[in-house]
Amino acid sequence: QVHLVESGGDSVQAGGSLRLSCAVSGYSVGRDCMAWFRQAPGKEREGVAAMDAAGSTIVGDSVRDRFTITRDNDKNALYLQMSSLKAEDTAMYYCATPRSGDAWCWDWGAYNVWGQGTQVTVSS
C-alpha cells in the first residue's frame, strides 16, 4: 500500500523560500510518476510540478522559475523547493502518484493517490 507523508509547510513572508518533503513508502519514487499539487481555499486542486521515472520534469506556468521538483531515490523521498514565494502561493500542498502503472506522468488527472498535505502560508 502506498503511503505519502508531506512535511515542511510553514508561514513565511513574501519573497521567502521553503522546501517541502514527501516521505514515500510502498512505492519507489524513482520507478514512475510523482507530482506536487496544491489547493487554495475556495479553489480547485492544481498541479504544480511532476517528475517521471527518467527524471524529466514539468512545472506549472504560475510557479515556473520559482519552484523545483526533485527526488532522492536512496531516501525514497520527493521534494519541492519553493523560492520567491508570493501570497498567491498560499495553499495546502500535496504529493501524489498515480495508482495505475500505465499513467502518463504529464496528465494531472492521472494522479489519484494523495498524502494528507502540508500547509504553506505566505504573507505579503
Side-chain angles (χ1 to χ4, degrees), residues 70-107:
T70 61
R71 70 187 182 206
D72 186 323
N73 291 347
D74 291 336
K75 295 182 178 179
N76 208 35
L78 185 74
Y79 303 100
L80 184 69
Q81 180 66 49
M82 306 185 295
S83 61
S84 301
L85 283 162
K86 305 175 181 180
E88 52 262 43
D89 294 320
T90 294
M92 186 72 78
Y93 284 73
Y94 302 88
C95 67
T97 188
R99 187 172 289 114
S100 169
D102 296 328
W104 183 47
C105 298
W106 317 134
D107 174 12

Side-chain angles (χ1 to χ4, degrees), residues 32-97:
D32 213 324
C33 314
M34 293 291 302
W36 286 98
F37 287 72
R38 68 184 182 184
Q39 187 168 20
K43 295 188 177 181
E44 293 187 355
R45 191 173 295 185
E46 65 169 339
V48 174
M51 175 179 282
D52 69 5
S56 298
T57 63
I58 60 168
V59 180
D61 289 342
S62 62
V63 301
R64 188 162 291 131
D65 299 327
R66 299 189 298 120
F67 289 13
T68 304
I69 183 172
T70 61
R71 70 187 182 206
D72 186 323
N73 291 347
D74 291 336
K75 295 182 178 179
N76 208 35
L78 185 74
Y79 303 100
L80 184 69
Q81 180 66 49
M82 306 185 295
S83 61
S84 301
L85 283 162
K86 305 175 181 180
E88 52 262 43
D89 294 320
T90 294
M92 186 72 78
Y93 284 73
Y94 302 88
C95 67
T97 188

Side-chain angles (χ1 to χ4, degrees), residues 108-119:
W108 298 121
Y111 292 83
N112 50 16
V113 180
W114 306 92
Q116 85 290 345
T118 187
Q119 177 68 38

